[in-house]
Amino acid sequence: MSLNIPADFVEKYNTAGPRYTSYPTVPAWKQAFGDAEYREALAELAQKPGDELAIYLHLPFCAKHCFYCGCNALVTREKNAVTEYLDRVEKELAMVTALIGTNRRVVQFHWGGGTPNYLSETEVNRALAMFRGAFDLAPDAEVSLEIDPRIATPEQVAFLRSAGFNRISLGVQDFEETVQVAIGRRQGRERTLNVYQGCRDAGFPGVNVDLVYGLPGQTRESFTHTLGEIIGLQPDRVACFSYAHVPWVRPLQNKVDTTHMLGGYDKFALFQLTVDLFKDADYTWIGIDHFAKKGDELSVALENRALHRNFMGYATKPAPHMLAFGMSGIGDVCDRFVQNDAELEPWGAAIDAGRLPIVKGHKLNDDDRMRRLVILNVMCNLELPWKLTEAAFGAPADRLLAGELAALPPLVADGLVTADDFGLHITDKGRYFVRNVAMIFDAYLAGAGDKPLFSRTV
Ligand SMILES: C[S@@+](CC[C@H](N)C(=O)[O-])C[C@H]1O[C@@H](n2cnc3c(N)ncnc32)[C@H](O)[C@@H]1O
Ligand code: SF4
């Protein structure tokens, strides 16, 4: 049963705020950061040979650009584009392994995009071989990729499974044609269903589906229909992202027909509907926008309060470091965040010149590390045990964050959190506003001004 949350309450908390895939969040990275700083981090990593790694590979190419897309995607007619891209990744990889060695253990390896299944079988094999040669992929590592069903076939997904991927995410967004037309992404239902079945037939242990709510043309009725179809398929996990309409960052979104786009409370109600339908279908609501079948590792991790979050999303196999390859990739190495150039040409030019293509970064201080622990625990495990910070930071969180906790009483009065001797607990109502709770512990938000750096929390 839906919680009755009035429209004015939703509006009160519908502010611009981060999604906290990291803390500090990208807009707060103000330090000058480049090749030298990343080399320093990698040299430190070399001194910790036992630490496991997660790896992200960004593959930006897409067959066609969808108007609504917020990802870092490229459409090209260049025949050699992928080969040239992989040549650069290979060089990037060689620069990194020259500093950390080639025998590091990897527990999570993810290909994101763009559209990783834009690559041919030969290109997929080449990329996999490059990384397998450079790292020691653990036998139980999660090896995952995102695919666009519009260019996939059951044969292709069977190949991807045999090549070693064990988790696959299908971009669906919405089954309704009117919505697909408005967002510039026509996607035949039959093809999507065929590819989904192909993933099952190929024996993928994990099959995920991506949906987006708040897209133009979506109504309560139409989205109920899409959600019903998805639940009927029984994917292991579903991500239902809030549509981020940010045309000042992604100008192609100006082509999205926003005439019938729900916002504010109506958009919130779509998400509430999503939560209700997945809960009724026995899925666990994970973090802000994911749903996992009961028994799925993410659900078990939430029950055990052992869920983690990184740039790739929610994770059950936390590695202390994440290396990112490819344009726009974001890494997290020895308490430094590093971001590669998001543009193809300068990213490639830096690599050709023998420089690691880092353009942005942030070295965390002790205060950042403490707040990161607190914020990510709130975002993932929906609580803040006071003792969480004791071992690493020498005092309980209610002492370290006494000033911030002064902002708590209104959130308690509004029923978003409760506090007791153990710590803070996010309530059922507070789950919808967990970003607002996390934001009180963010030391950088005060300086963020009124720039539209973040999407809205609802
Ligand atoms: C890299 S794409 C997935 C793979 C493939 N390129 C595709 O579109 O099917 C990652 C996902 O991000 C989500 N996404 C893209 N643009 C978005 C936006 N503007 N707001 C919210 N979610 C978005 C979609 O759910 C999409 O499936
Ligand atoms: S939604 Fe997927 S296929 Fe469409 S442009 Fe973005 S990354 Fe490419």
Side-chain angles (χ1 to χ4, degrees):
M1 256 290 282
S2 248
L3 287 174
N4 186 10
I5 306 178
D8 56 347
F9 189 93
V10 171
E11 276 319 309
K12 176 175 172 185
Y13 285 101
N14 189 11
T15 51
R19 295 167 50 79
Y20 292 115
T21 47
S22 72
Y23 179 82
T25 53
V26 179
W29 304 356
K30 300 278 190 266
Q31 303 160 353
F33 231 88
D35 171 87
E37 287 73 18
Y38 190 28
R39 281 179 193 274
E40 188 186 279
L42 291 168
E44 233 176 82
L45 182 60
Q47 301 307 311
K48 301 177 178 183
D51 282 9
E52 294 178 328
L53 307 178
I55 293 184
Y56 174 74
L57 171 62
H58 190 77
L59 295 161
F61 303 103
C62 294
K64 227 174 135 219
H65 213 128
C66 317
F67 302 160
Y68 83 104
C69 180
C71 307
N72 196 303
L74 285 177
V75 175
T76 176
R77 286 207 189 85
E78 284 283 325
K79 273 183 88 186
N80 288 329
V82 176
T83 301
E84 285 170 12
Y85 189 84
L86 292 181
D87 289 347
R88 259 68 177 258
V89 171
E90 194 163 23
K91 286 188 197 169
E92 196 184 6
L93 197 48
M95 277 192 265
V96 170
T97 51
L99 296 165
I100 63 166
T102 52
N103 54 354
R104 300 295 299 239
R105 187 103 165 149
V106 169
V107 292
Q108 194 187 3
F109 184 24
H110 181 70
W111 290 16
T115 301
N117 66 314
Y118 182 84
L119 270 59
S120 69
E121 291 191 7
T122 313
E123 290 159 348
V124 168
N125 283 332
R126 177 182 173 201
L128 281 173
M130 273 161 34
F131 282 88
R132 286 206 175 104
F135 296 101
D136 169 22
L137 203 57
D140 63 345
E142 180 175 280
V143 186
S144 52
L145 87 167
E146 296 163 19
I147 67 156
D148 181 349
R150 295 173 304 165
I151 60 163
T153 59
E155 293 71 32
Q156 185 189 40
V157 296
F159 157 73
L160 292 168
R161 174 72 190 116
S162 65
F165 290 96
N166 51 34
R167 183 169 292 282
I168 190 161
S169 297
L170 280 64
V172 176
Q173 330 314 348
D174 193 301
F175 275 131
E176 294 296 313
E177 201 181 338
T178 43
V179 176
Q180 295 182 359
V181 170
I183 64 170
R185 181 189 171 99
R186 297 291 287 269
Q187 179 163 350
R189 210 174 137 275
E190 287 311 313
R191 177 147 200 160
T192 303
L193 297 181
N194 262 342
V195 171
Y196 180 87
Q197 191 52 46
C199 295
R200 287 299 182 204
D201 294 343
F204 269 94
V207 182
N208 302 1
V209 164
D210 287 349
L211 299 175
V212 178
Y213 74 94
L215 292 173
Q218 277 176 347
T219 62
R220 216 181 149 76
E221 292 66 38
S222 78
F223 207 46
T224 302
H225 191 241
T226 290
L227 291 169
E229 286 215 73
I230 294 298
I231 288 169
L233 293 175
Q234 290 284 296
D236 299 284
R237 297 177 188 171
V238 175
C240 187
F241 300 114
S242 164
Y243 175 44
H245 189 65
V246 285
W248 57 91
V249 185
R250 298 275 177 244
L252 203 67
Q253 287 188 344
N254 285 311
K255 290 194 168 189
V256 171
D257 176 1
T258 56
T259 325
H260 302 287
M261 188 164 80
L262 300 180
Y265 180 72
D266 294 329
K267 183 176 177 187
F268 173 80
L270 272 187
F271 185 60
Q272 250 198 331
L273 170 75
T274 307
V275 170
D276 290 345
L277 292 185
F278 277 112
K279 278 188 174 169
D280 288 349
D282 225 17
Y283 279 75
T284 306
W285 180 10
I286 305 288
I288 44 179
D289 47 16
H290 280 53
F291 302 89
K293 269 181 151 173
K294 290 262 156 66
D296 181 275
E297 281 176 47
L298 282 187
S299 301
V300 175
L302 176 60
E303 261 166 46
N304 298 331
R305 299 293 183 251
L307 201 60
H308 295 264
R309 183 163 168 78
N310 60 25
F311 292 107
M312 298 186 265
Y314 292 95
T316 53
K317 289 194 173 67
H321 315 277
M322 190 165 104
L323 301 177
F325 297 89
M327 56 184 266
S328 79
I330 300 182
D332 176 359
V333 180
C334 292
D335 285 332
R336 276 85 148 185
F337 293 128
V338 285
Q339 179 163 33
N340 276 352
D341 205 309
E343 300 293 328
L344 182 66
E345 292 300 328
W347 168 78
I351 292 172
D352 289 346
R355 276 184 287 114
L356 289 161
I358 303 297
V359 289
K360 234 189 232 175
H362 182 89
K363 186 174 183 176
L364 282 82
N365 59 30
D366 280 350
D367 185 66
D368 292 335
R369 290 195 302 114
M370 182 271 292
R371 288 172 193 267
R372 165 164 76 169
L373 182 66
V374 165
I375 286 177
L376 295 190
N377 207 70
V378 170
M379 294 294 294
C380 294
N381 297 315
L382 310 167
E383 62 180 28
L384 169 56
W386 302 133
K387 67 177 180 12
L388 180 72
T389 52
E390 261 170 3
F393 301 99
D398 48 345
R399 183 123 46 88
L400 295 173
L401 294 163
E404 285 72 4
L405 289 169
L408 204 61
L411 301 180
V412 174
D414 277 343
L416 303 187
V417 279
T418 58
D420 57 22
D421 289 348
F422 170 86
L424 291 186
H425 308 265
I426 306 287
T427 62
D428 287 349
K429 189 178 181 186
R431 292 227 43 189
Y432 292 95
F433 307 99
V434 65
R435 291 159 71 182
N436 302 75
V437 178
M439 280 159 69
I440 69 173
F441 302 113
D442 187 330
Y444 294 90
L445 280 184
D450 56 3
K451 285 206 199 113
L453 295 173
F454 302 109
S455 57
R456 301 222 147 228
T457 48
V458 168

